[in-house]
Amino acid sequence: MTIRVGIVGISGFGGGEAMRLVASHPSFELVYAAGEGSAGSRLADRFPGVPARLADLVIEKWDPATLPKLDLLFASLPTGASAEALARVPAGTKIVDIGGDHRYVEGWAYGLADVWPDRIAGQSRIANPGCFPAAVLTALAPLLANGLVEPGNIVIDAKTGISGAGRGGGDSRFGYAESNENLVPYGLLRHVHMPEMATTIQRLSGGSADGLVFTPHLVPMTRGVLATIYCRGRATTEHCLDAARRFYAGRAFVRVTDRPPQTRWATGSNLAFVSYAADPERNLVIAMGVVDNLGKGAAGQAVQNANLICGLPETAGLDSAPVWP
Ligand SMILES: NC(=O)C1=CN([C@@H]2O[C@H](COP(=O)(O)OP(=O)(O)OC[C@H]3O[C@@H](n4cnc5c(N)ncnc54)[C@H](OP(=O)(O)O)[C@@H]3O)[C@@H](O)[C@H]2O)C=CC1
Ligand SMILES: CC(=O)N[C@@H](CCC(=O)OP(=O)(O)O)C(=O)O
C-alpha cells in the first residue's frame, strides 16, 4: 500500500526532518511540498542531499484549494499560521499538525503517541505535542498514572538546542555569536507549552496541575531537549523505574535507563529516554526526560502518529539508530 503524502513547511527544520523520514518510509510517497518564501524552488535547491527521485519536486505556494489528492498531510508551520488553512483541507486527507495550533482543540487528538496510542489510532486529525511536552510528559506519565507524585507540585527545568526555535529564528538570540558559549533562560512563568503540559498532567493523574512551574533554557547545541523535573512523592528510585518499565513494556520508542539520560543518546531518532532519582525521606522525586526536539519533539513523533492513524506498524520508517557521536 502506498500512501500519498504532502508536507507544508518543508523548508523549515520540522518540515525538513519530516521530509527526511518520509523519504525513507516504506509506505509513504512524497508527492506534494509547500511553503511560502521557498515556493518555486526544487527540493534539491533547498536540500542538496535529497534522494534523487525527489530532487525535482517543486515546492508550491501553500494553498489548500490547490492540493492534489493526498492521503496524508504533515503541517509544519509557525504556530498561529496553520488553523485557518488546515480547516479547508478535505476531510479525506489525514493531517498531523506539528505546530501548536490544534493541541487540545475539539476535533483533534493530542498525539502523545507513546503514552496513549489507542486514543490516536483511528483518528484523522492529530495535534503533535510540543518538543518540551514530549520530553516532560513521557517522563512523568508513569509516575502520574501510578500516583507516585503529586500532580499539583511539579517544577520543570528544561534545556533545548537552538534548532527548537526553527529556521525562522526570530531575534538575534538564535545567531551563532549570541548562542555559542551562552546559556539563556526564557519564557518564564508563561511559556506557550504550559497549557498542554497542565492539561495532560490532569488527564494522567486525575488531579490539578495548578502549581506547575516550567523554565526552558537555550543551550549552544543544535538538537536535543533535556527536562529535569522536580516532584513531591514518597516513592523510591526503584519504584519509579519499575513503574516506567511496566508502563512502557513492549513500547518501541521509550528507553528507561538507570543512569541519567543525555541529549546525544536520542539525536536523529524518535527515541525518548527517561530516568528517575528519588529520596522518600525528602519527599522528592526527580524525573528526567530526553528527546531530540526534531525527532520525538516534532517530525519523529509526527511520523509515529501518522503510522498509527494509517494503520501501519508504529515503527515503520522510524527504526534507524540515533547518530553517534
Ligand atoms: N523546531 C522544533 O524543534 C520544533 C518545532 N515545532 C513547531 O513546528 C512548526 C514549524 O517549526 P520549525 O520547522 O522549527 O520552523 P521553521 O521556521 O524552521 O520553518 C517554518 C516553515 O513554515 C513555512 N511558512 C511560514 N509561514 C508560512 C505561510 N504563511 N504559508 C506557508 N508556509 C509558511 C516556512 O516556509 P518558507 O521557507 O517557504 O517561507 C518554513 O518552511 C512550528 O509551529 C514550531 O513551533 C514543534 C516542535 C519542535
Ligand atoms: C528554542 C525554542 O524557541 N523552542 C520553542 C519550542 C519549539 C516547539 O515545540 O514549538 P511549538 O510548541 O510552537 O510547536 C519554544 O520554546 O517556543
Side-chain angles (χ1 to χ4, degrees), residues 4-5 14 18 29 43 55 75 85 90 101 110 114 123 138 150 153 191 262 268 282 288 316:
R4 289 167 56 84
V5 173
E29 184 188 1
L43 278 188
D101 283 3
Y110 185 67
D114 298 304
Q123 304 294 323
T138 309
E150 297 171 21
N153 252 319
H191 188 277
Q262 307 172 13
R282 290 154 71 187
M288 289 152 282

Side-chain angles (χ1 to χ4, degrees), residues 90-169:
T93 300
K94 298 179 170 71
I95 303 176
V96 179
D97 187 0
I98 295 174
D101 283 3
H102 294 103
R103 298 176 189 147
Y104 287 111
V105 166
E106 180 73 29
W108 291 73
Y110 185 67
L112 195 59
D114 298 304
V115 172
W116 48 50
D118 298 346
R119 295 191 198 174
I120 296 165
Q123 304 294 323
S124 71
R125 295 286 183 271
I126 304 298
N128 224 48
C131 54
F132 291 116
V136 167
L137 297 171
T138 309
L140 283 179
L143 305 182
L144 294 165
N146 288 286
L148 297 180
V149 296
E150 297 171 21
N153 252 319
I154 296 176
V155 176
I156 304 160
D157 177 306
K159 314 289 187 301
T160 177
I162 308 291
S163 67
R167 270 185 59 239

Side-chain angles (χ1 to χ4, degrees), residues 19 42 57 94 99 126 131 148 190 192 204 221 261 268 286 291 294 303 308:
M19 183 199 68
R42 295 155 61 243
L57 189 66
K94 298 179 170 71
I126 304 298
C131 54
L148 297 180
R190 59 186 70 211
V192 69
L204 289 166
M221 58 186 187
I286 304 174
V291 300
L294 294 173
V303 169
L308 285 166

